[in-house]
Amino acid sequence: NGSVSTMGKAKRKSIQTAPESIGSLLAPLQALQYLLSQFHDQGVIIGGVAVSLLGTPRYTVDLDAVFLLSLGDIPRLLTEAAKLEIEPRISDPISFARKSRVLLLRHRPSGIDIDLSLGILPFEYEMVLRSKMVDLGTIQIRLPTPEDLIIMKAIAHRSKDLADIQAIASSHPNIDKERIRFWVEQFSEALELPELWSDISKLL
C-alpha cells in the first residue's frame, strides 16, 4: 500500500546522535531498516530502541519490529533478510510464524536477536500510517509515534512497560491522551482486562 509508505515518509525527526544505550545496535538496526524498506516501509521498529529514542535511554540487547506482511510474504522476507546476514534463529521459522505471527531472527555479524511481529490489526495499520523516520546522524530508522508506542506498552503491561510509559509521557508533555485512551480501552475490552487503562492513566 503506497499510501502508508508515502505518508510515513512525510514525517521526519532529527536526533543528533544515537544514545549510548543503542550504540552497539546501529549495524543490526541499519540492516533491519533496510529490510523494512524492501517491503515499502510497511513497518516500524519498536521495543527498547524506540523507548530509548522517544523516552529515556535504557539498555537493550535485542531488536523488535512490526511488519505489515501476510504469511505468504514470509519466504520472500527470509530471502531478503539473508542478503543482509539476518538469519532464522530456530530450525523451522515459517511454521513458528504461522502459529505465532512472529519471526525469530538474528543478525549474524553482531549476534543481535530480532523479533519481527507480523501485524494484522487495525491499530497496527494505523501505527504504520502515523510512523515517522528518525535521523540518528549515521542512519535513519522508522519509529511509531509516542502515543502508539505507549499503547503497545499498555497492552504488554509488564512492570518495565509501565516504567517505559512513564518515561515516554514525561518526554512528551503534549501527548494525545484521548488517542491512547481510545485504543487502550479497545484492547482492554477485547482482552477482558479492565485494568489496562486505569493502570496507565495515572502515568500520563
Side-chain angles (χ1 to χ4, degrees):
N1 185 319
S3 62
V4 171
S5 178
T6 300
M7 290 189 69
K9 286 180 180 177
K11 304 174 183 177
R12 190 176 302 273
K13 178 181 178 181
S14 179
I15 295 177
Q16 293 299 319
T17 58
E20 185 178 346
S21 58
I22 64 171
S24 62
L25 301 175
L26 288 179
L29 264 175
Q30 187 171 31
L32 178 57
Q33 179 60 48
Y34 186 79
L35 179 62
L36 194 161
S37 73
Q38 299 308 294
F39 292 84
H40 308 291
D41 288 326
Q42 300 281 297
V44 292
I45 293 168
I46 57 173
V49 166
V51 173
S52 289
L53 295 172
L54 298 178
T56 300
R58 70 167 173 82
Y59 183 66
T60 185
V61 296
D62 53 21
L63 300 180
D64 300 275
V66 174
F67 272 35
L68 300 181
L69 296 178
S70 70
L71 296 176
D73 289 322
I74 294 176
R76 181 185 160 222
L77 184 144
L78 292 175
T79 297
E80 295 298 325
K83 298 175 184 177
L84 301 167
E85 299 185 280
I86 297 175
E87 303 170 347
R89 64 178 195 265
I90 59 174
S91 59
D92 192 353
I94 295 180
S95 293
F96 183 85
R98 290 185 184 279
K99 295 175 183 177
S100 66
R101 298 197 64 84
V102 178
L103 272 171
L104 302 179
L105 307 174
R106 178 172 292 137
H107 181 246
R108 185 172 55 78
S110 65
I112 296 296
D113 288 347
I114 301 173
D115 289 358
L116 294 187
S117 298
L118 304 181
I120 194 174
L121 301 174
F123 165 72
E124 291 168 321
Y125 278 82
E126 276 197 17
M127 177 173 63
V128 172
L129 182 66
R130 289 161 43 87
S131 67
K132 58 194 174 187
M133 292 296 289
V134 173
D135 191 339
L136 301 182
T138 57
I139 66 170
Q140 296 175 346
I141 62 173
R142 182 170 293 278
L143 297 181
T145 64
E147 291 87 355
D148 292 344
L149 185 58
I150 285 176
I151 292 164
M152 297 198 73
K153 289 288 179 178
I155 298 165
H157 220 72
R158 298 161 298 184
S159 58
K160 71 174 183 178
D161 296 305
L162 298 181
D164 288 341
I165 288 171
Q166 191 166 27
I168 298 165
S170 295
S171 297
H172 299 273
N174 297 320
I175 203 159
D176 185 350
K177 295 179 184 178
E178 288 307 310
R179 173 175 175 78
I180 296 170
R181 180 170 187 166
F182 172 80
W183 277 110
V184 171
E185 288 184 340
Q186 295 293 309
F187 283 110
S188 177
E189 182 177 349
L191 298 171
E192 298 183 349
L193 294 172
E195 70 275 14
L196 287 187
W197 171 248
S198 60
D199 283 354
I200 76 159
S201 61
K202 56 183 174 289
L203 303 177
L204 303 179

